[in-house]
């Protein structure tokens, strides 16, 4: 029976928070924290779904799930969302419409309705996902899940096989487009940035209304990611910046322009020939400092975020908020010359404040597939430590 692991990273905003709302450039990168999925066929015509991170364990008869007829543009997604299908699936899943687990289940079954082939329909499949990404922290956990779903269903149903004639770039695009559909199910009107970063990996630059472009020459960087555990209120922070902008446009617009130039300067750093890594990291750290200062001036920092900066700066490290601010997460750049002892001390000091710290990287690979040589069980999959998947070799990435 076909069995596959799929994997995809979360994302962080490196530069450009809030300014992107006003048409400025922002920069985002893939996180070393990832989601991992198992998908494999079974022989009882059931879909067995287990998502422990959102407390979902359900089973459905595969023939009870609505299925879509072939559409124009197949196998790429239809141009518009099928709202009738969404209503059917919401009723079918019967978990309410606004919970993390109901949205995760509906997103899976929405893609299933389009992508499941006759061969899979007569068998059924297991689908299990585990994630290292905290839910609701602004780190692209839903996009990472969506990319895992899209990759898994496309692989299981043969859309990514060599016989389909798609090169790697076309496979990557197919995964990204279907992941975007799943993100629409979950969020309604997402930007597409999160699923693109999760699919492609590396780093991207983006401007509202324009094509998302990879950041050329980007090198993987080490960070300490700190979750302050202060709930984010993205809409509140965006609204507060809007009020400040409307009140003092001649003051705020130059600040937004400066944030725009930080992303452009980041691009210049990585495209500059002959710049050794030590100088690259030093200049990147300076941009981290400046970007946070501008965001704080816009009023979107928080005492918890300033505490992260205070603690890390005492040990010579640069930190900034990532995302909407007002709480949420902070990134601390770990240069190559920073000792492991220093990182341990910083983590201890931050955790003493009640924060959650995770060492990770930014700019690693995107979506991946691992073909299993023999079937496993849901219990075996769940029994593995998450580090097991990170250490597993022979992942095939869309690069």
């Amino acid at each position: 029976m076909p069995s596959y692991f799929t994997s995809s990273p979360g994302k962080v905003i490196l530069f450009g928070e809030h300014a992107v709302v006003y048409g400025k450039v922002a920069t985002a990168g893939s996180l070393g924290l990832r989601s991992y999925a198992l998908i494999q066929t079974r022989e009882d015509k059931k879909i067995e779904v287990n998502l422990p991170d959102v407390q979902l364990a359900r089973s459905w008869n595969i023939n009870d799930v609505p299925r879509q007829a072939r559409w124009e543009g197949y196998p790429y997604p239809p141009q518009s969302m099928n709202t009738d299908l969404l209503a059917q699936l919401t009723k079918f899943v019967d978990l309410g419409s606004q919970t993390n687990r109901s949205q995760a289940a509906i997103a899976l079954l929405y893609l299933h309705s389009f992508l499941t082939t006759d061969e899979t329909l007569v068998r059924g499949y297991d689908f299990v996902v585990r994630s290292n990404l905290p839910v609701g922290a602004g780190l692209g956990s839903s996009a990472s899940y969506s990319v895992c779903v899209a990759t898994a269903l496309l692989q299981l149903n043969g859309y990514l096989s060599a016989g389909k004639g798609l090169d790697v770039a076309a496979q990557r695009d197919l995964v990204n487009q279907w992941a975007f559909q799943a993100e629409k199910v979950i969020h309604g009107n997402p930007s597409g940035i999160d699923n693109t970063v999760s699919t492609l990996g590396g780093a991207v630059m983006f401007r509202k209304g324009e094509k998302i472009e990879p950041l050329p020459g980007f090198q993987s960087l080490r960070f300490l990611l700190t979750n302050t555990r202060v709930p984010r209120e993205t809409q509140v922070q965006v609204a507060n910046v809007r009020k400040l902008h409307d009140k003092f446009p001649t003051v705020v617009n130059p600040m937004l322009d400066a944030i725009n130039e930080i992303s452009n300067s980041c691009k210049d750093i990585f495209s500059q020939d002959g710049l050794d890594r030590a100088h690259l990291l030093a200049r990147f750290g300076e941009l981290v400092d400046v970007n946070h200062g501008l965001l704080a001036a816009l009023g979107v920092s928080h005492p918890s975020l300033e505490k992260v900066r205070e603690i890390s700066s005492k040990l010579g490290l640069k930190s900034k908020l990532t995302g909407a601010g007002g709480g949420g997460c902070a990134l601390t750049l770990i240069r190559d010359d920073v000792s492991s002892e220093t990182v341990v001390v910083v983590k201890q000091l931050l955790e003493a404040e009640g924060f959650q710290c995770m060492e990770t990287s930014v700019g690693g690979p995107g979506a991946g597939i691992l073909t299993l040589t023999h079937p496993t069980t849901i219990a075996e999959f769940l029994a593995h430590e998450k580090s097991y998947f990170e250490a597993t070799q022979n992942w095939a990435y869309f690069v």
Side-chain angles (χ1 to χ4, degrees), residues 231-242:
R232 298 178 310 116
E233 294 182 281
T234 299
Q235 292 179 337
V236 171
Q237 299 303 320
V238 171
N240 287 342
V241 174
R242 173 62 68 182

Side-chain angles (χ1 to χ4, degrees), residues 21 124 129 131 187 189 250 277 280 298 313 318 322 338 343 372:
V21 176
V129 177
S131 183
H187 293 297
N189 187 31
T250 59
R277 186 168 171 86
L280 182 151
L298 290 174
S313 66
K318 307 288 190 181
T322 179
V338 175
V343 176
L372 304 182

Side-chain angles (χ1 to χ4, degrees), residues 319-399:
S319 301
K320 70 176 288 289
L321 68 85
T322 179
C329 292
L331 282 173
T332 301
L333 177 66
I334 303 176
R335 302 183 312 275
D336 295 346
D337 63 341
V338 175
S339 68
S340 57
E341 291 80 9
T342 298
V343 176
V344 169
V345 171
V346 172
K347 288 179 66 176
Q348 289 174 341
L349 292 171
L350 291 170
E351 287 168 352
E353 297 289 334
F355 304 150
Q356 177 189 21
C357 298
M358 297 159 278
E359 289 184 62
T360 188
S361 61
V362 172
I369 301 171
L370 178 65
T371 302
L372 304 182
T373 55
H374 58 84
T376 185
T377 66
I378 291 177
E380 288 172 338
F381 181 85
L382 295 175
H384 285 302
E385 293 294 327
K386 293 172 184 176
S387 59
Y388 163 83
F389 304 104
E390 296 171 7
T392 301
Q393 303 297 310
N394 301 318
W395 285 92
Y397 298 104
F398 297 108
V399 295

Side-chain angles (χ1 to χ4, degrees), residues 74 78 81 102 143 150 152 159 194 227 251 286 306 309 315 329 344 358 375:
Y74 170 91
M81 296 294 289
S102 67
Y159 296 95
D194 289 13
N227 184 356
V251 175
E286 291 171 342
E306 295 305 319
R309 281 176 50 81
L315 290 155
C329 292
V344 169
M358 297 159 278

Side-chain angles (χ1 to χ4, degrees), residues 271-310:
S271 61
Q272 186 173 337
D273 292 333
L275 184 64
D276 63 68
R277 186 168 171 86
H279 284 91
L280 182 151
L281 291 172
R283 292 180 62 181
F284 189 93
E286 291 171 342
L287 293 178
V288 166
D289 244 359
V290 175
N291 197 173
H292 182 89
L294 289 165
L295 291 169
L298 290 174
V300 296
S301 189
H302 185 274
S304 62
L305 295 166
E306 295 305 319
K307 177 59 72 172
V308 174
R309 281 176 50 81
E310 176 190 336

Side-chain angles (χ1 to χ4, degrees), residues 5-9 34-37 144 147-148 151 198 365-370 389 395 397-398:
F5 286 158
T6 65
S7 171
S8 55
R34 304 176 68 91
S35 299
Y36 297 90
S144 177
V147 174
C148 273
T151 308
S198 189
I369 301 171
L370 178 65
F389 304 104
W395 285 92
Y397 298 104
F398 297 108

